[in-house]
């Protein structure tokens, strides 16, 4: 049992690796680094230089609106992102087999959750192909990211089903945490809308004049900041309410530290004109906060 639990936790961590890899692809404008899928310039492995390109490479390069010439950095960033997603798929095939072997006769729900995890990952890979085919349509990029986030909920549910700890009965705290989850999900969706606007603005300016990008955002950016404050206050209140439950204190402290770090990353992004290196950190922290808050909520019951 311990080995299965550790493996499930490892797969969960791998989902976060997929999320941050996708964010790096987006912030480095590498999404069309490989203009075809599943190949890259018609090859299984990206060309290492211009000299390695196929004779008809222009038909691939003409799909891009970022690189006028072959950019091996962009190609390899996107290719590594694909490899990480593929590795997750392999890990999940093992997970499905292990789940059926261990739990099919006793806890079939775990088996079906594992299958859903694998099917969801395959859907994510297909959606990634659509993103390339549509030349990085921003709506599909956002769905791609949100899909990866919700995939991470599945191993959390599996781990919860294998947890023998008794739930905490606190109706007020359960309602508060549910509210925080809804507000945080709203915040993440609004954040993706802000990110889509930044993508469109930066593309229109040929990814230059970074210091003018924020000024061109509409009021959704102000809403994003307001909801961020509300989310932070809700998590702080959850931490305060958790002090009366010894079993929840460490989990609540982790939530508090994560929301403070997420807010700090957001503040730095706004103050430093959206530097590329902070964006993946901000996304990773907000994803960790959402998944951790979901896991925290699973420990609570409204009624005795």
């Amino acid at each position: 049992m311990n080995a299965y639990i550790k493996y499930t936790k490892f797969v969960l961590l791998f989902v976060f690796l997929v999320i941050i890899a996708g964010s790096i692809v987006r912030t480095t404008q590498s999404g069309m680094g490989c203009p075809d899928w599943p190949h890259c310039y018609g090859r299984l492995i990206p060309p290492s230089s211009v000299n390695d390109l196929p004779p008809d490479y222009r038909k691939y390069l003409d799909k891009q609106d970022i690189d006028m010439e072959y950019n091996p950095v962009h190609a390899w960033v996107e290719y590594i992102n694909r490899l990480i997603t593929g590795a997750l798929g392999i890990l999940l095939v093992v997970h499905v087999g292990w789940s059926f072997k261990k739990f099919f006769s006793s806890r079939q729900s775990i088996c079906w959750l594992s299958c859903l995890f694998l099917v969801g990952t395959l859907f994510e890979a297909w959606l990634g192909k659509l993103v390339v085919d549509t030349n990085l349509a921003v709506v599909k990029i956002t769905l791609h990211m949100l899909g990866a986030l919700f995939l991470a909920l599945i191993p959390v549910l599996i781990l919860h089903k294998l947890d023998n700890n008794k739930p905490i009965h606190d109706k007020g705290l359960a309602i508060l945490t549910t509210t925080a989850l809804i507000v945080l999900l709203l915040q993440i969706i609004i954040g993706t809308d802000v990110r889509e606007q930044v993508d469109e603005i930066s593309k229109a300016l040929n990814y230059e004049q970074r210091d003018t990008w924020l000024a061109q955002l509409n009021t959704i950016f102000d809403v994003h900041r307001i909801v961020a404050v509300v989310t932070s206050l809700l998590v702080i209140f959850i931490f305060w309410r958790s002090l009366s439950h010894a079993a929840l204190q460490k989990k609540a402290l982790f939530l508090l530290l994560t929301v403070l770090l997420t807010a700090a990353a957001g503040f730095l992004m706004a103050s430093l004109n959206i530097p590329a290196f902070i964006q993946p950190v901000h996304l990773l922290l907000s994803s960790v906060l959402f998944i951790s808050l979901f896991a925290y909520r699973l420990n609570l019951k409204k009624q005795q």
Side-chain angles (χ1 to χ4, degrees):
M1 180 71 78
N2 287 338
Y4 178 86
I5 290 174
K6 288 180 180 178
Y7 185 77
T8 302
K9 289 180 178 178
F10 174 73
V11 174
L12 173 58
L13 291 175
F14 213 88
V15 175
F16 286 117
L17 181 60
V18 169
I19 290 173
I20 196 169
S23 179
I24 290 173
V25 167
R26 192 169 185 180
T27 56
T28 57
Q29 287 83 48
S30 300
M32 291 298 289
C34 291
D36 48 330
W37 192 99
H39 297 93
C40 188
Y41 286 89
R43 299 178 44 163
L44 292 176
I45 299 176
S48 57
S49 67
V50 175
N51 297 329
D52 298 323
L53 288 169
D56 59 347
Y57 77 94
R58 273 289 164 190
K59 74 177 184 181
Y60 301 109
L61 199 59
D62 288 345
K63 295 180 181 180
Q64 300 198 38
D65 52 16
I66 297 175
D67 298 321
M68 297 300 102
E69 297 296 335
Y70 177 63
N71 188 323
V73 174
H74 284 175
W76 277 95
V77 168
E78 166 59 12
Y79 183 70
I80 291 172
N81 175 52
R82 295 181 184 182
L83 288 180
I84 292 173
T85 305
L88 176 61
I90 295 172
L91 290 173
L92 286 176
V93 170
V94 174
H95 193 274
V96 169
W98 197 348
S99 298
F100 271 82
K101 181 180 179 180
K102 194 171 186 64
F103 298 110
F104 187 72
S105 60
S106 57
R107 302 183 182 183
Q108 289 191 9
S109 61
I110 292 178
C111 302
W112 303 129
L113 281 172
S114 183
C115 288
L116 179 62
F117 201 178
L118 176 59
V119 171
T121 301
L122 294 175
F123 176 79
E124 276 290 286
W126 173 77
L127 189 56
K129 178 184 184 302
L130 283 187
V131 168
V132 173
D133 290 345
T134 55
N135 196 9
L136 301 182
V138 290
V139 173
K140 290 185 175 67
I141 294 176
T142 297
L143 290 175
H144 194 41
M145 188 279 293
L146 290 176
L149 181 62
F150 280 99
L151 278 180
L153 299 180
I154 299 175
V156 172
L157 280 171
I158 293 174
L159 291 169
H160 175 69
K161 286 181 175 294
L162 297 174
D163 188 0
N164 294 321
N165 294 326
K166 294 183 178 180
I168 304 297
H169 298 278
D170 189 325
K171 182 178 180 180
L173 187 55
I175 294 174
L176 176 63
T177 306
T178 301
T179 302
L181 264 173
I182 294 171
V183 173
L184 178 56
L185 179 59
L186 177 64
Q187 169 71 345
I188 291 173
I189 293 173
I190 293 173
T192 61
D193 187 44
V194 172
R195 179 64 217 181
E196 287 174 7
Q197 286 190 38
V198 170
D199 286 347
E200 293 169 357
I201 292 168
S202 59
K203 181 179 178 180
L205 295 174
N206 295 318
Y207 304 97
E208 298 175 351
Q209 304 178 45
R210 183 178 290 269
D211 58 328
T212 67
W213 294 359
L214 282 179
Q216 299 185 53
L217 295 173
N218 62 25
T219 55
I220 196 67
F221 181 56
D222 295 322
V223 175
H224 182 60
R225 289 189 288 190
I226 293 171
V227 179
V229 172
V230 173
T231 302
S232 299
L233 291 175
L234 285 170
V235 173
I236 291 171
F237 194 29
I238 287 171
F239 171 74
W240 178 75
R241 284 289 304 268
S242 300
L243 294 179
S244 58
H245 301 288
L248 296 176
Q249 289 175 7
K250 289 184 178 179
K251 295 180 178 67
L253 179 60
F254 181 79
L255 290 175
L256 178 64
L257 293 175
T258 305
V259 78
L260 292 177
L261 289 172
T262 305
F267 175 78
L268 288 175
M269 284 181 62
S271 302
L272 302 177
N273 298 317
I274 323 179
F277 71 94
I278 295 182
Q279 294 175 51
V281 175
H282 186 58
L283 176 61
L284 178 62
L285 287 170
S286 60
S287 301
V288 169
L289 178 60
F290 182 77
I291 300 304
S292 300
L293 194 58
F294 177 77
Y296 178 94
R297 176 62 183 83
L298 291 176
N299 290 286
L300 296 169
K301 296 292 183 181
K302 293 182 178 181
Q303 296 179 349
Q304 208 61 30

